[in-house]
Amino acid sequence: MEPSPEWINLLKKALQRNRKLPYARYLQLATVTEEGKPSCRTVVYRGILEGTQTKLKVITDVRSEKIKHLKNNNWVEACWYLPETREQFRIQGLAQAVLASDEDPKMQDHRLHQWKLLSDAARSAFDDPHPGIPKDPDWTGKETVEAVDPTVPHENFVLLIIDPKCVDYLNLRPKPQLRAYFTLLEENGSWKCTEVYA
């Protein structure tokens, strides 16, 4: 396997150094609406896809707005700011939604693996009412969290894989501050690094 790109090594080190901050696992993910408008929300980083060096994992609900956006335009941008090390990563790439209906057995294996890693509380959330619709005033949520079968992913559970194409890295600690663009060269799969003014 080729050596890991520099930017993913920087990201791994930054996450390690920020590990005492629970919110270091949260990043902002922007999609494009059907009207061409940006739509941004916070998601939880679930690691790097097994067998790859740079594909990032998050999860979502098939009923969420972001899935509708991705059907029309699967370009996304993820943005992370890690305060302990004062580093920012803006990651542009293509998102692949692995749905219950996906016929690729390897992708379903990845989806099942991620489902097994979730807590019962996280798994049970996929059986909640449809996200984004008006709330029933009588609905008070679940009284208790019941165990959910970890071997059968809920039909609403989606593994979202982000395949990075360009990374804008910023480190605010050095003087002068360090900023670099990492761009994937599709012809050979290597990454080009260009340092720029911050």
Side-chain angles (χ1 to χ4, degrees):
M1 184 178 284
E2 293 290 322
S4 299
E6 183 182 354
W7 71 265
I8 198 72
N9 293 330
L10 290 168
L11 178 58
K12 288 177 180 178
K13 287 178 185 175
L15 288 170
Q16 177 67 16
R17 291 173 182 158
N18 285 266
R19 66 187 182 280
K20 68 179 181 181
L21 305 174
Y23 51 82
R25 295 174 54 225
Y26 303 153
L27 61 142
Q28 280 59 57
L29 182 67
T31 54
V32 182
T33 70
E34 295 90 334
E35 296 79 27
K37 298 176 181 178
S39 180
C40 191
R41 79 284 293 156
T42 302
V43 295
V44 180
Y45 171 63
R46 303 286 177 173
I48 296 172
L49 184 69
E50 298 75 16
T52 75
Q53 292 186 326
T54 61
K55 292 183 179 181
L56 311 179
K57 298 187 298 180
V58 298
I59 63 172
T60 191
D61 191 305
V62 73
R63 302 167 296 172
S64 69
E65 288 295 317
K66 68 177 83 61
I67 294 297
K68 294 179 185 176
H69 301 165
L70 294 174
K71 287 179 181 177
N72 186 57
N73 183 343
N74 67 331
W75 276 99
V76 298
E77 180 163 306
C79 185
W80 239 311
Y81 181 70
L82 298 162
E84 190 72 21
T85 52
R86 301 184 65 197
E87 290 169 284
Q88 177 179 269
F89 295 82
R90 292 175 57 195
I91 303 170
Q92 285 186 359
L94 296 172
Q96 176 186 0
V98 184
L99 313 177
S101 58
D102 196 306
E103 296 181 355
D104 184 333
K106 188 174 182 180
M107 288 295 103
Q108 285 298 338
D109 286 346
H110 287 306
R111 180 171 171 266
L112 173 59
H113 175 70
Q114 194 61 50
W115 176 255
K116 288 179 177 178
L117 294 176
L118 300 182
S119 66
D120 280 332
R123 285 193 285 260
S124 70
F126 290 93
D127 200 36
D128 283 350
H130 195 301
I133 65 170
K135 185 178 176 184
D136 180 343
D138 296 326
W139 191 75
T140 58
K142 297 172 182 171
E143 294 293 327
T144 59
V145 175
E146 296 181 6
V148 180
D149 188 347
T151 66
V152 182
H154 195 284
E155 62 181 0
N156 292 332
F157 174 69
V158 178
L159 173 62
L160 200 59
I161 301 167
I162 302 167
D163 187 6
K165 306 297 181 183
C166 180
V167 178
D168 183 344
Y169 170 71
L170 175 65
N171 189 332
L172 298 175
R173 275 213 165 145
K175 294 190 184 302
Q177 295 168 354
L178 173 63
R179 187 178 183 189
Y181 294 151
F182 295 91
T183 307
L184 178 64
L185 304 178
E186 296 286 357
E187 60 269 20
N188 59 18
S190 65
W191 287 82
K192 176 184 176 183
C193 175
T194 305
E195 289 196 21
V196 298
Y197 293 113

